[in-house]
Amino acid sequence: EAQVTQNPRYLITVTGKKLTVTCSQNMNHEYMSWYRQDPGLGLRQIYYSMNVEVTDKGDVPEGYKVSRKEKRNFPLILESPSPNQTSLYFCASSPGTTRSYTFGSGTRLTVV
Amino acid sequence: KQEVTQIPAALSVPEGENLVLNCSFTDSAIYNLQWFRQDPGKGLTSLLLIQSSQREQTSGRLNASLDKSSGRSTLYIAASQPGDSATYLCAVTVPGGGNKLTFGTGTQLKVEL
C-alpha cells in the first residue's frame, strides 16, 4: 500500500530533551515536507526536501533540523524542544509540482 | 505573500442536503489547488486536485471548481451524509519553496441525521 509512515503517533517529552520524529514513504517521491498544525494558525511548512541531500527552510524552521540521506526517509529533529513546539506534526510527500500530496497520519507532540 | 481563506469556518446541515464550501486565495500564480479532508485525530486525505489550467474536477459526489483569475475555488458536496462530517481544507501550491502547500484554516462540516 502506498503510504507515508510517521512515528511515533504520540509523544510527551520534557524541555531540552532531543527527539526525532521519523517519516518514511514507499512511493519513490522526490518531494517531502514537514508541516505543523496549530489551532487558529492552520498548517505551516517547517522544512522541505526536493531530493536526496537537498533540503531547505519553510515558513517556521526555527528550532528544527532535517536530513535527507535516503530518498524514502525524511526525519524531523528537535535538538532542544521547548513548550512552543507542542503541536500536531505532519510529514507529506509528492512526486512533483503538479501532483497531489500524500500525508502521514500525524504525530502529536507535547513538550512540558 | 499568498493567503488562503475558507468561509464558513463551521457548517451544520441536515443529511441529504447539497452544500458548497468556499476557498479564496490572494495570488493567482499557483500550480494547482488541492482539497483535503481531515478527520479528528487523523491525517489529511486528498480529495481532489485541480491544476491551474483546469476549471473543475469531479470524484463521486464531490465537485471542485477553480477560477484562478478571481482567486476562488468551491467544493460542492452532493447529497451529504453523516460520514461526510470532517474538516475540509483547501491548499494551493505556489512556485518556489519546494512545492509548498499554503493552507486555509478549514471548514468544519457536520452532517446531522
Side-chain angles (χ1 to χ4, degrees), chain B residues 40-54:
Chain B
K42 300 270 182 77
L44 280 70
T45 301
S46 178
L47 297 173
L48 289 164
L49 171 71
I50 313 176
Q51 303 297 343
S52 61
S53 59
Q54 297 176 320

Side-chain angles (χ1 to χ4, degrees), chain A residues 38-50:
Chain A
D38 301 289
L41 296 176
L43 284 118
R44 296 173 292 168
Q45 190 187 56
I46 303 171
Y47 267 95
Y48 65 93
S49 170
M50 292 190 285

Side-chain angles (χ1 to χ4, degrees), chain A residues 3-6 23 89-93 102-106, chain B residues 42-44:
Chain A
Q3 60 186 359
V4 176
T5 302
Q6 291 179 232
C23 173
Y89 291 87
F90 288 103
C91 180
S93 73
T102 302
F103 277 75
S105 299
Chain B
K42 300 270 182 77
L44 280 70

Side-chain angles (χ1 to χ4, degrees), chain A residues 35 37 59 97-98 100-101, chain B residues 32 34 38 51 99-101:
Chain A
Y35 292 84
Q37 185 176 32
D59 295 323
T97 54
T98 59
S100 66
Y101 266 94
Chain B
N32 53 51
Q34 196 164 357
Q38 185 175 23
Q51 303 297 343
N99 199 24
K100 181 176 78 172
L101 288 162

Side-chain angles (χ1 to χ4, degrees), chain B residues 23-110:
Chain B
C23 172
S24 61
F25 48 95
T26 55
D27 187 346
S28 61
I30 62 171
Y31 284 135
N32 53 51
L33 183 144
Q34 196 164 357
W35 283 93
F36 293 90
R37 168 186 173 136
Q38 185 175 23
D39 294 283
K42 300 270 182 77
L44 280 70
T45 301
S46 178
L47 297 173
L48 289 164
L49 171 71
I50 313 176
Q51 303 297 343
S52 61
S53 59
Q54 297 176 320
R55 298 285 291 183
E56 66 178 313
Q57 282 287 331
T58 298
S59 176
R61 295 183 294 110
L62 305 179
N63 177 276
S65 68
L66 174 63
D67 184 342
K68 203 174 76 160
S69 61
S70 67
R72 293 180 182 178
S73 176
T74 61
L75 179 67
Y76 175 83
I77 302 177
S80 58
Q81 304 170 357
D84 294 330
S85 298
T87 296
Y88 290 81
L89 297 159
C90 72
V92 296
T93 305
V94 298
N99 199 24
K100 181 176 78 172
L101 288 162
T102 300
F103 283 88
T105 50
T107 295
Q108 189 172 13
L109 172 66
K110 183 175 182 181

